[in-house]
Structure formats: C-alpha cells, structure tokens
Amino acid sequence: MANELASILVPIGVVGAVLAALCAIVAGVAIMRGAAGLAGGAVGLWIPSAMLSFTASFANQWTPLLVSGVVLVAMLVIGAVVRGVVNAGEPARESARAARIQALVDAPEPAVAPKATKAPSTGSLPALAG
C-alpha cells in the first residue's frame, strides 16, 4: 500500500517542485527589472507549488521540497544583487544625461536674420481685419 501511495505522491511532488522553480525564476527576474507586483504574484504562486512539492515527503522524498525552497532563495538573492548593481549605475547615467541636456540649453542660438514681411496689397479695397 505504501509503495502504491509513493508512486502517486512522488510525481505530484516533482511537478510541484518544477512549478515552484518556474515561479521562483519569474520572481527573480521581476526583482531584477524592478517589477514589485510581478515579483509578489510569482512568490504568491510559488507558495501553493511548494505545498504541492511537499506531498513527496509523505513517501520520505524530501528532495522536491528542498529544491523548491533553495531555488526561491537563490533567485531572490540573485535578483536583489543584480538590481543593486543596476541601481548603482543609475547615478552615473543620470549625471551624463543631465550634462547633455545642460550643454543643449547653454548652446548659443543660431543667428538668423529676421525676414522682412510686407503686408499683402489689397489694391484699392481696404484690408479686411483678420
């Protein structure tokens, strides 16, 4: 009986671990991009997937549950580190952009001679107010 139960629960646990790993990868990428809503949704979906991977533990198979937990922690750490590196480069990029804008503002305007405008002739009729 226990062997038959294990043949059902272990594949369910493995599928849960795969789904949890996919959710963890999405969460890590979302953190890298700064999309907090997507990261929260991915972690929210990771929870039931991890619970599904827990079913393998009833057959004394703890690997799916451990894999799902380790992948989540690893992706959250990697996402936070990459986001920190990206944010560290932001001030340099912003200062370069501000310098380009300031150079455009400080540039002298080209000297253009004003065009001589002449009112159109209406002949003998008075000009209409426009």
Side-chain angles (χ1 to χ4, degrees):
M1 178 73 173
N3 195 19
E4 293 174 16
L5 192 58
S7 68
I8 295 170
L9 293 177
V10 172
I12 292 172
V14 170
V15 168
V18 169
L19 292 175
L22 289 175
C23 291
I25 291 170
V26 170
V29 171
I31 290 173
M32 288 177 204
R33 297 184 55 95
L38 181 60
V43 172
L45 287 176
W46 176 87
I47 293 169
S49 300
M51 294 300 291
L52 194 61
S53 70
F54 184 69
T55 60
S57 69
F58 292 109
N60 289 328
Q61 294 291 323
W62 293 94
T63 306
L65 181 62
L66 291 174
V67 166
S68 64
V70 167
V71 170
L72 179 69
V73 170
M75 288 307 296
L76 291 179
V77 168
I78 290 170
V81 167
V82 170
R83 185 67 185 168
V85 169
V86 168
N87 284 342
E90 289 288 327
R93 203 173 318 144
E94 287 296 323
S95 65
R97 182 173 180 241
R100 284 193 310 264
I101 291 172
Q102 190 63 36
L104 289 174
V105 169
D106 292 341
E109 292 186 24
V112 176
K115 289 185 176 181
T117 59
K118 181 179 174 186
S121 174
T122 59
S124 62
L125 298 174
L128 300 174

